[in-house]
């Protein structure tokens, strides 16, 4: 098989609209909060603000033992994050639970997150929902968002898109970026509400303006496809770049596609390769596949079937679904490779899979004395 045939047969991917639902990150709520003035409490907060965790612990722990809810919450955060004490998720759960039992909304929310992630206790979505609801009913935005997520995904609760929209909207109206982004997704998909691309754009924009990368990607997609807004490739590139600069893989991939196709920017294969590499380094299988195509065709990089095969191999392993063409691409490129080339590609695949070794393995292979690949 000659290179022209390979070029015509290989498939690269235009990113489909990706609307992730949630990043469950405990640190979203893990900040120390002020409480009712009690001797030692303000001193503990001040010490924490100066990152003097040992001093903060000395002030907070006695108050927590005495039943001060905000001190209990703050002590839980310190155990949760390992600040001033050894990280201890079971101890964090203990203190979150004590504060939550007194109606402390942030503690209730974080206790729900501990249940979702199975940290310090068994994973239990139903119990998580109970704690989220208690905090959500107090108007706590993060809990409202997470309760909406449970309804959206039917985790520990009967799936109900209308309830998801209700709770997302309550949190979104308070400026909660995850909720704004997910509410936009509900409008884009017509889940729990009538499909409305303009409303989707409205909510994506609110979250994107606050720097939320998932919303930036989805807003970029709306501009690229002309959904809810006039089609504008330059605006799409703008939002993709903002997400890409935050190291969000979907944004990096989409920005690479724009450079590859010359949409909203001058066509630039080296920039294409740059962004595919960065997304591929984070495990984005589509980016790994497309980067492999660039190596087959020699666009933005020197041609190398060995590197292409290794990238297709990696991509196919990471995403074996029918939406990923990497398996077929690997078969096609293998038809023009000899045994030594395939062995070298398998060796490179193993190097690419090593933690934090993707980019360095590619660079190292590019500098090594090359095996002679067939023309």
């Amino acid at each position: 098989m000659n290179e022209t045939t390979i070029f015509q047969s290989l498939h690269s991917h235009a990113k489909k609209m990706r609307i992730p639902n949630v990043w469950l990150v405990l640190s979203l709520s893990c900040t120390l909060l002020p409480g009712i003035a009690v001797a030692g409490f303000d001193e503990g907060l001040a010490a924490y603000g100066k990152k003097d965790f040992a001093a903060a612990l000395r002030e907070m722990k006695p108050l927590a033992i005495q039943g001060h809810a905000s001190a209990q919450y703050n002590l839980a955060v310190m155990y949760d994050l390992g600040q001033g004490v050894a990280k201890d998720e079971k101890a964090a759960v203990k203190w979150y639970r004590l504060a939550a039992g007194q109606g402390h909304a942030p503690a209730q929310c974080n206790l729900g997150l501990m249940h979702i992630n199975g940290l310090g206790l068994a994973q239990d979505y139903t119990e998580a929902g109970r704690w989220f609801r208690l905090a959500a009913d107090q108007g706590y935005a993060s809990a409202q968002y997470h309760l909406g997520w449970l309804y959206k995904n039917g985790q520990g609760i009967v799936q109900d898109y209308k309830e998801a929209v209700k709770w997302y909207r309550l949190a979104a109206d308070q400026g909660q970026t995850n909720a704004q982004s997910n509410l936009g997704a509900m409008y884009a998909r017509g889940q729990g509400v009538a499909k409305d691309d303009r409303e989707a754009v409205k909510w994506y924009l609110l979250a994107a303006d606050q720097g939320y990368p998932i919303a930036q990607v989805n807003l970029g997609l709306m501009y690229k496809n002309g959904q809810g807004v006039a089609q504008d490739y330059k605006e799409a590139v703008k939002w993709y770049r903002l997400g890409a600069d935050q190291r969000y893989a979907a944004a990096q991939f989409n920005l690479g596609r724009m450079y590859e196709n010359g949409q909203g920017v001058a066509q630039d294969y080296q920039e294409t390769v740059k962004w595919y590499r960065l997304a591929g380094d984070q495990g984005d299988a589509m980016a790994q596949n497309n980067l492999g195509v660039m190596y087959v065709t020699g666009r933005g990089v020197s041609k190398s079937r060995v590197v292409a095969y290794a990238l297709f191999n990696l991509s196919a392993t990471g995403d074996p679904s029918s939406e990923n063409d990497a398996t077929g691409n690997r078969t096609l490129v293998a038809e023009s490779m000899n045994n030594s080339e395939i062995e070298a590609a398998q060796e490179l695949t193993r190097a690419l899979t090593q933690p934090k070794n993707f980019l360095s393995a590619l660079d190292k292979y590019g500098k090594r004395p090359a095996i002679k690949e067939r023309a």
Side-chain angles (χ1 to χ4, degrees):
M1 179 181 290
N2 59 41
E3 293 288 358
T4 302
T5 305
I6 294 173
F7 173 68
Q8 291 174 341
S9 301
L10 291 174
H11 297 283
S12 58
H13 294 274
K15 199 69 166 184
K16 293 187 176 181
M17 190 168 185
R18 180 185 288 181
I19 309 178
N21 289 304
V22 62
W23 284 346
L24 290 178
V25 182
L26 285 169
S27 59
L28 287 175
S29 300
C30 281
T31 53
L32 296 200
L33 298 178
I36 300 171
V38 176
F41 188 84
D42 289 343
E43 291 82 353
L45 284 179
Y48 187 90
K50 297 174 183 177
K51 299 189 183 301
D52 186 350
F53 301 130
L57 182 68
R58 286 195 302 270
E59 299 293 346
M60 290 292 176
K61 192 165 187 178
L63 296 174
I65 291 170
Q66 293 170 33
H68 188 287
S70 292
Q72 290 171 338
Y73 167 80
N74 291 345
L75 183 59
V77 168
M78 296 181 75
Y79 276 111
D80 201 349
L81 302 179
Q83 295 173 326
V85 290
K87 184 177 174 66
D88 186 336
E89 290 162 352
K90 288 185 177 180
V93 166
K94 167 190 169 181
W95 291 107
Y96 281 144
R97 193 181 301 280
L98 287 169
Q102 297 191 63
H104 193 279
Q108 292 169 337
C109 184
N110 275 17
L111 185 55
L113 284 167
M114 299 298 271
H115 277 290
I116 277 187
N117 290 302
L119 299 175
L121 37 62
Q123 187 178 58
D124 187 333
Y125 287 104
T126 301
E127 191 66 6
R130 183 172 79 86
W131 289 109
F132 288 150
R133 188 178 301 277
L134 287 169
D137 284 341
Q138 295 186 64
Y140 192 61
S142 182
Q144 291 170 337
Y145 160 69
H146 285 105
L147 185 57
W149 184 88
L150 291 179
Y151 273 113
K152 163 65 174 65
N153 293 286
Q155 294 279 18
I157 200 167
V158 176
Q159 188 176 56
D160 188 328
Y161 290 150
K162 288 185 178 180
E163 278 294 300
V165 167
K166 166 189 166 181
W167 291 108
Y168 282 158
R169 192 183 305 280
L170 287 169
D173 285 340
Q174 295 190 62
Q176 218 273 0
T177 56
N178 306 55
Q180 292 170 336
S181 182
N182 282 16
L183 184 56
M186 301 300 276
Y187 275 107
R189 292 171 169 171
Q191 294 176 324
V193 288
K195 181 176 170 59
D196 188 330
D197 287 338
R198 289 188 178 182
E199 273 295 299
V201 167
K202 166 190 165 181
W203 291 107
Y204 286 151
L205 181 59
L206 286 169
D209 276 340
Q210 294 188 68
Y212 191 56
I214 295 175
Q216 290 169 340
V217 170
N218 286 339
L219 184 58
L221 283 163
M222 301 301 272
Y223 274 107
K224 179 182 181 296
N225 297 326
Q227 295 173 287
V229 288
Q231 188 175 58
D232 188 331
Y233 290 147
K234 288 186 177 179
E235 273 294 300
V237 167
K238 165 191 164 182
W239 290 109
Y240 289 157
R241 193 180 303 279
L242 286 169
D245 286 343
Q246 295 189 66
R247 301 189 69 255
Y248 186 51
Q252 293 170 334
F253 178 94
N254 284 6
L255 186 55
R257 286 290 298 174
M258 300 302 276
Y259 274 108
E260 184 176 3
N261 296 324
Q263 295 174 316
V265 288
Q267 191 174 57
D268 187 330
Y269 293 140
Q270 289 185 335
E271 278 291 302
T272 300
V273 167
K274 167 189 168 181
W275 291 109
Y276 285 165
R277 275 169 53 98
L278 289 171
D281 183 41
Q282 297 191 65
D284 189 297
M286 299 297 189
Q288 292 164 352
N289 175 75
N290 282 20
L291 185 57
V293 174
M294 303 301 280
Y295 273 99
V296 171
T297 59
R299 293 182 299 171
V301 289
S302 299
K303 285 185 180 182
S304 173
R305 284 187 292 268
V306 169
V307 177
Y309 182 101
L311 287 165
F312 294 147
N313 218 11
L314 185 65
S315 175
T317 301
D319 178 12
S321 73
S322 59
E323 293 186 357
N324 187 2
D325 295 316
T327 299
N329 287 346
R330 179 181 58 194
T331 300
L332 286 169
V333 77
E335 292 177 7
S336 61
M337 297 171 69
N338 58 38
N339 288 338
S340 63
E341 289 174 325
I342 290 177
E343 288 173 5
Q346 296 287 13
E347 179 184 347
L348 179 56
T349 302
R350 288 189 289 271
L352 292 171
T353 58
Q354 296 301 309
K356 300 182 180 179
N357 198 47
F358 181 83
L359 296 178
S360 58
L362 286 177
D363 293 340
K364 185 177 180 180
Y365 184 85
K367 294 175 183 177
R368 64 183 270 183
I371 64 171
K372 186 164 180 63
E373 297 189 22
R374 293 160 57 185

